């Protein structure tokens, strides 16, 4: 298994959806304030956890699209941290995609460094653990926001966004693997 390749394939799926939504809606996410973005991440992660526990979706969408949304909103979070929020869209499609690609690459590079140190431990984990870790990261972001960023020893919000992205990518990889096994 080639983790870098699998990561890039998962990110390509996310990027394609991001670009299509950018076409349909523009960069409307530029108006999101940090707390609203955190709440958007929260509802996506809570839905995954709910579906994992209940095993049934009443709206017909599964867990995979929610992991993809977490990845894309995590990247939006990194962009918003860099650029701040606005009252109107202020980036072109091309600029938004350039920002997306840069932050996606940063997430990949972080994953490669951590994956080296942790020796692919994520492969032995359950998808439900990724969900719980993501929810923990979101709770940490909420706490940091409540402290107006004035932490004593903790990593910043950007590090938590990166971890959310990477755990969600692992979720996409694992779910795709499970679906491929079921088709075989």
């Amino acid at each position: 298994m080639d983790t870098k390749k699998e990561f890039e394939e998962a990110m390509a799926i996310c990027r394609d959806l991001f670009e299509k939504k950018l076409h349909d809606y523009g960069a409307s996410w530029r108006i999101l304030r940090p707390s609203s973005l955190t709440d958007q991440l929260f509802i996506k992660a809570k839905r995954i956890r709910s579906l994992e526990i209940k095993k049934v979706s009443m709206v017909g969408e599964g867990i995979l699209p929610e992991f993809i949304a977490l990845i894309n909103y995590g990247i939006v979070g990194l962009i918003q941290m860099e650029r701040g929020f606005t009252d109107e869209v202020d980036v072109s499609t091309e600029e938004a995609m350039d920002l997306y690609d840069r932050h996606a690459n940063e997430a990949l590079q972080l994953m490669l460094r951590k994956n080296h140190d942790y020796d692919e431990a994520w492969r032995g984990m359950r998808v439900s653990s990724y969900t719980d870790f993501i929810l923990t990261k979101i709770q940490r972001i909420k706490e940091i926001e409540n402290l107006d960023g004035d932490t004593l020893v903790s990593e910043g919000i950007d590090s938590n966004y990166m971890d959310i992205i990477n755990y969600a990518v692992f979720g996409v990889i694992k779910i795709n693997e499970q679906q491929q096994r079921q088709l075989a």
Side-chain angles (χ1 to χ4, degrees):
M1 290 179 256
D2 183 346
T3 300
K4 182 177 187 281
K5 182 179 181 230
E6 290 173 308
F7 189 101
E8 290 170 337
E9 289 170 355
M11 287 303 297
I13 294 166
C14 299
R15 186 188 193 281
D16 181 62
L17 181 61
F18 186 87
E19 191 169 31
K20 287 174 179 171
K21 287 194 175 200
L22 194 57
H23 172 272
D24 291 351
Y25 305 130
S28 57
W29 43 264
R30 286 290 292 128
I31 67 168
L32 285 172
R33 291 177 287 178
S35 58
S36 298
L37 184 58
T38 302
D39 287 344
Q40 183 66 17
L41 288 164
F42 176 73
I43 64 172
K44 296 296 182 185
K46 281 294 282 188
R47 183 163 188 275
I48 293 170
R49 187 167 167 150
S50 172
L51 293 175
E52 288 171 344
I53 292 167
K54 296 173 185 170
K55 311 265 190 246
V56 172
S57 169
M58 297 298 284
V59 295
E61 295 176 352
I63 292 170
L64 182 62
E66 301 298 354
F67 275 122
I68 292 168
L70 284 167
I71 293 162
N72 285 342
Y73 278 114
I75 291 175
V76 164
L78 292 168
I79 295 169
Q80 293 295 83
M81 286 193 70
E82 177 183 327
R83 304 284 300 258
F85 66 90
T86 65
D87 289 331
E88 53 192 62
V89 175
D90 64 347
V91 295
S92 67
T93 298
E94 183 178 287
E95 185 179 9
M97 292 310 301
D98 287 344
L99 290 163
Y100 184 96
D101 289 340
R102 183 165 48 81
H103 288 292
N105 186 57
E106 289 169 1
L108 169 63
Q109 296 308 314
L110 176 65
M111 183 280 299
L112 291 171
R113 290 190 305 273
K114 286 188 171 187
N115 201 42
H116 172 271
D117 290 357
Y118 288 92
D119 200 27
E120 303 252 324
W122 69 273
R123 291 198 184 271
M125 295 170 58
R126 298 173 189 95
V127 173
S128 59
S129 294
Y130 307 145
T131 306
D132 290 350
F133 292 164
I134 289 167
L135 282 164
T136 300
K137 298 291 180 179
I138 294 166
Q139 185 61 40
R140 289 176 181 180
I141 292 169
K142 286 181 179 184
E143 294 295 331
I144 293 169
E145 288 172 347
N146 290 343
L147 292 169
D148 293 322
D150 188 23
T151 60
L152 300 176
V153 296
S154 302
E155 294 178 322
I157 291 173
D158 58 337
S159 295
N160 286 287
Y161 283 147
M162 293 288 263
D163 287 344
I164 289 167
I165 293 165
N166 286 333
Y167 282 126
V169 169
F170 294 154
V172 170
I173 292 169
K174 283 261 188 137
I175 290 169
N176 282 336
E177 286 175 352
Q178 290 168 357
Q179 290 174 349
Q180 289 172 1
R181 278 194 298 274
Q182 289 172 350
L183 294 175

